[in-house]
């Protein structure tokens, strides 16, 4: 199994621009943004309902609460919604309401063309295909999550905070997600 490529902001913008050429680009954009800006696993994205991201007045929640049965650790977990992720959800909500005229809060947030829930595997395959179409063959459905964690580390966020945001039980798991490159090391030594 190939290790997921970490995407920088420039590569993310390229992907988001490129996927506009394909069907269901609004849905696909939100899927990628949920992994990149929220650090969600693709199976967690597939399980989201509108009620997980919207309040009953259809405003966007500040936190997404993942039920224990839907998480890898089998514990209830919280995802903080950043300004960028809030914007992406808001854009998808605007598109969705315009197209379908209403929101069923218990319906899947990310739906197939047949208007059903994605399985984690089918959504993973779709995102991998989109990355391939963008000439990012080493990117996978896990790239957004790895990028989220690496971006936090590159901004000197405390490792324990990153661990909590990544929802890892062990810090060494979080550390395996962080990519280090020559440019980062050059910047680091200049700080001394």
């Amino acid at each position: 199994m190939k290790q997921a490529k970490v995407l920088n902001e420039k590569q993310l913008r390229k992907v988001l621009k490129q996927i506009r050429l394909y069907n269901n680009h609004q849905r696909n954009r939100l899927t990628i943004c949920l992994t990149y800006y929220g650090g969600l696993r693709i199976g967690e994205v597939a399980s989201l309902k509108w009620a997980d991201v919207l309040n009953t007045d259809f405003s966007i929640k500040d936190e997404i609460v993942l039920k224990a049965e839907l998480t890898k650790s089998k514990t209830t977990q919280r995802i903080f919604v950043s300004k960028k992720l809030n914007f992406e959800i808001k854009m998808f909500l605007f598109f969705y309401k315009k197209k379908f005229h209403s929101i069923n809060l218990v319906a899947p947030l990310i739906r197939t063309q047949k208007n059903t829930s994605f399985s984690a595997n089918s959504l993973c395959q779709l995102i991998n295909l989109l990355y391939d179409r963008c000439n990012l063959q080493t990117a996978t459905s896990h790239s957004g999550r790895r990028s989220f964690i690496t971006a936090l580390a590159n901004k000197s966020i405390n490792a324990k905070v990153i661990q909590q945001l990544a929802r890892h039980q062990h810090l060494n798991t979080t550390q395996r997600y962080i990519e280090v490159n020559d440019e980062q090391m050059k910047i680091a030594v200049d700080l001394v």
Side-chain angles (χ1 to χ4, degrees):
M1 186 173 154
K2 64 183 177 179
Q3 184 173 5
K5 176 182 178 55
V6 171
L7 304 175
N8 59 38
E9 278 284 336
K10 183 178 178 184
Q11 290 169 317
L12 176 66
R13 284 192 304 273
K14 176 187 172 191
V15 168
L16 297 179
K17 183 178 179 181
Q18 180 74 26
I19 65 174
R20 289 193 318 222
L21 303 174
Y22 308 118
N23 291 336
N24 302 300
H25 70 276
Q26 296 92 345
R27 173 202 69 197
N28 297 338
R29 178 184 177 105
L30 180 60
T31 301
I32 289 169
C33 288
L34 284 162
T35 66
Y36 191 91
Y37 294 130
L40 278 85
R41 296 173 179 94
I42 204 70
E44 295 165 345
V45 174
S47 71
L48 289 176
K49 307 285 187 224
W50 277 104
D52 295 321
V53 298
L54 297 179
N55 294 304
T56 55
D57 66 355
F58 300 102
S59 62
I60 297 166
K61 291 183 175 183
D62 295 329
E63 294 180 13
I64 298 169
V65 177
L66 299 174
K67 297 179 183 96
E69 62 271 14
L70 303 176
T71 67
K72 188 174 180 180
S73 66
K74 301 299 180 204
T75 60
T76 300
Q77 298 179 353
R78 298 180 309 156
I79 308 296
F80 293 95
V81 177
S82 68
K83 291 176 185 175
K84 289 180 180 179
L85 184 54
N86 180 295
F87 174 80
E88 295 296 337
I89 295 168
K90 193 176 292 182
M91 294 303 294
F92 186 69
L93 175 63
F94 177 77
F95 154 77
Y96 195 90
K97 283 170 66 174
K98 188 174 181 180
K99 184 172 182 178
F100 297 106
H101 308 294
S102 67
I103 303 284
N104 177 355
L105 290 175
V106 297
L109 176 64
I110 305 297
R111 298 185 198 189
T112 67
Q113 288 179 310
K114 295 180 181 180
N115 212 25
T116 61
S117 296
F118 273 95
S119 69
N121 187 47
S122 60
L123 190 56
C124 176
Q125 290 176 21
L126 171 65
I127 298 306
N128 290 347
L129 175 65
L130 291 172
Y131 283 136
D132 282 345
R133 287 180 175 172
C134 295
N135 293 319
L136 293 169
Q137 285 78 21
T138 58
T140 71
S141 62
H142 212 58
S143 290
R145 182 168 165 76
R146 285 199 69 217
S147 301
F148 171 79
I149 293 167
T150 297
L152 291 170
N154 290 344
K155 291 182 168 97
S156 301
I157 302 299
N158 180 290
K160 293 294 275 181
V161 173
I162 298 171
Q163 176 189 356
Q164 292 297 311
L165 291 172
R167 298 168 285 116
H168 288 147
Q169 289 183 324
H170 304 284
L171 185 57
N172 62 347
T173 304
T174 305
Q175 290 170 325
R176 287 195 308 259
Y177 276 68
I178 299 169
E179 183 177 281
V180 177
N181 61 42
D182 288 346
E183 185 62 30
Q184 294 165 308
M185 290 189 287
K186 287 176 188 175
I187 291 168
V189 297
D190 283 338
L191 294 174
V192 178

